[in-house]
Amino acid sequence: MKNRELLMIPGPIEFTPEVLRAMGLASTSHVAPNFIEVFGQALERMRDVFLCPSGQPFAVAGSGTLAMDMPAANLIEPGDKALVVNTGYFSDRFAAVLERYGADVTQVNAPAIGDAPPLEDVEAALKGGSYKLMTVTHVDTSTGVGTDVKSLAALGRQYGALVVVDGVCSVAGEALYQEDWGIDVALTASQKAVGTPPGLALVVAGPKAMDAFHKRATPVRNYYADWNEWLPIMEAYEARRPSYFGTPAVNLVWALNVSLGQILDEGMDARFARHRRLSEAFKAAISALGMKQVPVSPDVSATTLTAPYYPQGVDVTLLGHVKEAGAILAGGLYPPIKAEYFRIGHMGVVNQSDVLATLGAIETGLSRVGYKFEAGVGLAAAQAVLTQ
Ligand code: PMP
């Protein structure tokens, strides 16, 4: 018997055998020619995965929160106005990060939990103030809410704000065209749809963002995140020259380069389409099983995860039964509704079999906790989408 459970949480995700093998390569010096080549190539590939040919990539050891810290530390000066388009837990975090660097933060909130702020509200806020920067959480992992980044970025540009997108739960899964959509900074972490073990903060900054950074009047108030330190390092690796500021996460960078190569082999559009299709199948199954989702409509639903409310009379004990049946899922995260819902990540290398196996495990779990439904109804709904 295979002694493994499917890891279906919204990050960290499962990694390909090739990526995991790259983690185990014999350690090398961070200035060894073979490592310089791999790091240089990974940076080049980041531009292709973020779809930002004129962007400046940064890959630095740290988690996604460091990736949020970087644009905040490097673009905000005390007193700058920043607008946060708030869709939940990670938007709250971005507001806190910006405030830490002295930003005067205004937030546009959604009308209800599970919804995204309407474009008109964001436009009204942008019109009313001269914001240096605006942040958008592409997919709020806490609620499964996805935002219309393309339209929001267009608004931000129109009103002269730098557009910063938290793509931690979207880059390389959810459709995101950084340069075409006019996004000044997009950021993610290695452990989600990018498909590399946790530990790398990945940021791509477009020319307008780099220009704003170069025009700062005050020093960057974060030593480790300072682009003055990291920019020469990234440029050196791309030029295949040795350099040092902080020791790079050598094994993670090997793995990142392998994963980015696999992502580009699949092709970005094909990858976005696969995520969309699997997500549609998953969500159709959840509805067929009689469960509501946290996002209030398909327009504001992410494709990288699904966040169903527990059915009446069911609670978090469901997840223990689902795990016994072979799939590890995540509980709720957003404090106001934390105990009322759960989350399933379906991003990265996830395939049709993973989706069906997970739904089978959810059906098993639901019957174990005494929920009444027609066995197989979720699987049938997913199959109906997958066989279209
Ligand atoms: N933003 C979003 C949308 C996230 O999902 C997460 C992590 N789940 C973060 C930021 C923070 O990333 P990390 O946990 O790697 O610091």
Side-chain angles (χ1 to χ4, degrees):
M1 193 177 97
K2 285 186 194 168
N3 188 20
R4 64 179 281 263
E5 290 151 334
L6 281 173
L7 181 64
M8 298 294 286
I9 65 172
I13 63 162
E14 293 192 344
F15 308 112
T16 66
E18 295 77 14
V19 166
L20 292 174
R21 272 202 298 276
M23 288 293 292
L25 292 175
S27 292
T28 185
S29 159
H30 58 289
V31 290
N34 59 341
F35 178 69
I36 292 175
E37 176 57 32
V38 164
F39 202 162
Q41 197 171 63
L43 293 167
E44 288 160 4
R45 288 177 174 171
M46 274 176 69
R47 279 198 196 85
D48 296 338
V49 168
F50 283 67
L51 295 152
C52 192
S54 60
Q56 172 59 51
F58 295 89
V60 175
S63 79
T65 305
L66 174 67
M68 299 167 79
D69 223 11
M70 276 205 159
N74 288 283
L75 297 175
I76 290 294
E77 297 190 63
D80 282 343
K81 290 183 70 183
L83 188 71
V84 171
V85 178
N86 195 316
T87 44
Y89 185 88
F90 290 104
S91 312
D92 291 345
R93 179 172 297 188
F94 227 145
V97 174
L98 293 164
E99 275 168 358
R100 189 62 66 90
Y101 295 105
D104 171 7
V105 175
T106 302
Q107 304 206 44
V108 188
N109 293 305
I113 289 173
D115 207 349
L119 291 176
E120 309 82 74
D121 291 8
V122 176
E123 180 160 22
L126 283 165
K127 239 183 218 164
S130 43
Y131 293 98
K132 168 143 185 212
L133 177 154
M134 157 180 157
T135 68
V136 178
T137 311
H138 192 177
V139 171
D140 198 293
T141 324
S142 75
T143 55
V145 169
T147 46
D148 178 359
V149 166
K150 186 181 181 185
S151 305
L152 288 165
L155 278 179
R157 289 233 133 186
Q158 187 185 333
Y159 291 96
L162 292 168
V163 179
V164 177
V165 173
D166 172 351
V168 172
C169 199
S170 78
V171 170
E174 200 89 33
L176 180 66
Y177 300 85
Q178 183 175 349
E179 190 149 322
D180 280 359
W181 291 359
I183 295 162
D184 296 298
V185 178
L187 61 96
T188 190
S190 49
Q191 75 270 17
K192 303 220 189 209
V194 166
T196 305
L200 287 176
L202 306 173
V203 179
V204 175
K208 258 184 67 187
M210 292 313 293
D211 194 43
F213 159 69
H214 288 303
K215 289 191 175 131
R216 285 180 70 96
T218 59
V220 173
R221 298 174 75 85
N222 180 321
Y223 187 78
Y224 182 66
D226 191 342
W227 283 345
N228 288 300
E229 305 291 355
W230 288 114
L231 181 59
I233 306 301
M234 299 301 135
E235 288 175 340
Y237 276 107
E238 274 208 80
R240 310 304 196 256
R241 278 189 280 108
S243 64
Y244 167 75
F245 170 57
T247 306
V250 172
N251 299 57
L252 279 169
V253 172
W254 283 109
L256 174 72
N257 192 41
V258 170
S259 192
L260 295 177
Q262 291 180 331
I263 290 167
L264 293 168
D265 283 347
E266 180 177 11
M268 298 314 295
D269 287 332
R271 193 171 173 92
F272 298 149
R274 171 169 60 83
H275 280 79
R276 223 166 17 245
R277 180 162 159 275
L278 295 177
S279 171
E280 272 167 25
F282 212 97
K283 288 171 173 60
I286 292 299
S287 299
L289 285 164
M291 284 185 271
K292 279 211 174 108
Q293 293 166 47
V294 177
V296 296
S297 77
D299 294 345
V300 291
S301 283
T303 69
T304 45
L305 80 155
T306 300
Y309 283 107
Y310 295 114
Q312 190 88 40
V314 176
D315 63 17
V316 69
T317 55
L318 169 70
L319 303 190
H321 294 286
V322 176
K323 183 171 183 293
E324 248 171 54
I328 301 169
L329 311 183
L333 180 62
Y334 193 46
I337 52 168
K338 194 172 160 57
E340 296 166 34
Y341 75 108
F342 62 108
R343 297 172 299 147
I344 308 104
H346 31 72
M347 64 185 120
V349 284
V350 69
N351 64 19
Q352 184 162 325
S353 309
D354 298 331
V355 164
L356 293 172
T358 303
L359 287 167
I362 290 175
E363 289 204 5
T364 304
L366 285 170
S367 60
R368 293 255 197 281
V369 296
Y371 177 62
K372 297 276 174 278
F373 66 102
E374 189 193 326
V377 74
L379 284 160
Q383 285 286 35
V385 174
L386 294 172
T387 53
Q388 257 167 32

